[in-house]
Amino acid sequence: MLSAMLLIISITALAQFALYYWRAVLAGVAAQPVSDRVLAAAGLEADHVTGGDFATLAGIHDLTPDLEPGGGGLGLVRLYYRSLELLQMLAGTRLPVIAMWSQRECVVCARYTAVKIDRRLQVNLALADSIRSC
């Protein structure tokens, strides 16, 4: 019985650590600057990305080819964004602190997607330049 409790506690702690680490990576990438090319492609104002822009940016992300090693998609970010939207809808006006927090997290998701698009474009342009120089 004691060993089962220790196993459950250990798995819970590991899952919590993994979640915090993933969130830190997400915020770290989202903190990087977004190029004007990406903002222009999405029809956004200069350095003014909101949580509502996530769907537009995710659509553009789906259109860009993934040539970056280990680039991956937006599966977990989309899931996180949808859960934040649900939380924001449930919190509504009754819990404004939680609604504001989820709104800020939606902005992080949108900025993360914009930075990932920018990285994909940079890799694709570098590849096109190397092909032209051959």
Side-chain angles (χ1 to χ4, degrees):
M1 184 66 153
L2 180 65
S3 59
M5 280 182 42
L6 284 175
L7 179 65
I8 291 171
I9 291 171
S10 298
I11 290 173
T12 304
L14 182 63
Q16 186 178 15
F17 174 75
L19 181 66
Y20 287 150
Y21 176 76
W22 178 79
R23 171 60 183 84
V25 169
L26 185 77
V29 171
Q32 296 176 2
V34 179
S35 73
D36 292 334
R37 293 182 304 214
V38 174
L39 296 174
L44 304 175
E45 295 179 17
D47 205 29
H48 186 60
V49 178
T50 65
D53 300 326
F54 179 78
T56 304
L57 291 167
I60 294 171
H61 183 272
D62 292 340
L63 294 175
T64 57
D66 184 17
L67 301 175
E68 186 180 10
L74 294 176
L76 287 175
V77 178
R78 286 180 204 263
L79 179 66
Y80 185 56
Y81 181 80
R82 286 187 191 123
S83 64
L84 289 170
E85 277 186 325
L86 180 64
L87 182 65
Q88 192 173 5
M89 184 180 68
L90 292 174
T93 57
R94 287 177 265 152
L95 300 169
V97 174
I98 293 176
M100 287 174 45
W101 173 81
S102 63
Q103 190 174 24
R104 286 192 309 267
E105 289 298 301
C106 286
V107 171
V108 169
C109 291
R111 286 194 55 83
Y112 173 85
T113 305
V115 170
K116 293 297 280 185
I117 294 168
D118 197 21
R119 285 183 179 177
R120 283 184 171 192
L121 289 176
Q122 288 175 1
V123 169
N124 293 336
L125 289 174
L127 180 64
D129 288 343
S130 68
I131 290 173
R132 280 190 216 125
S133 65
C134 290

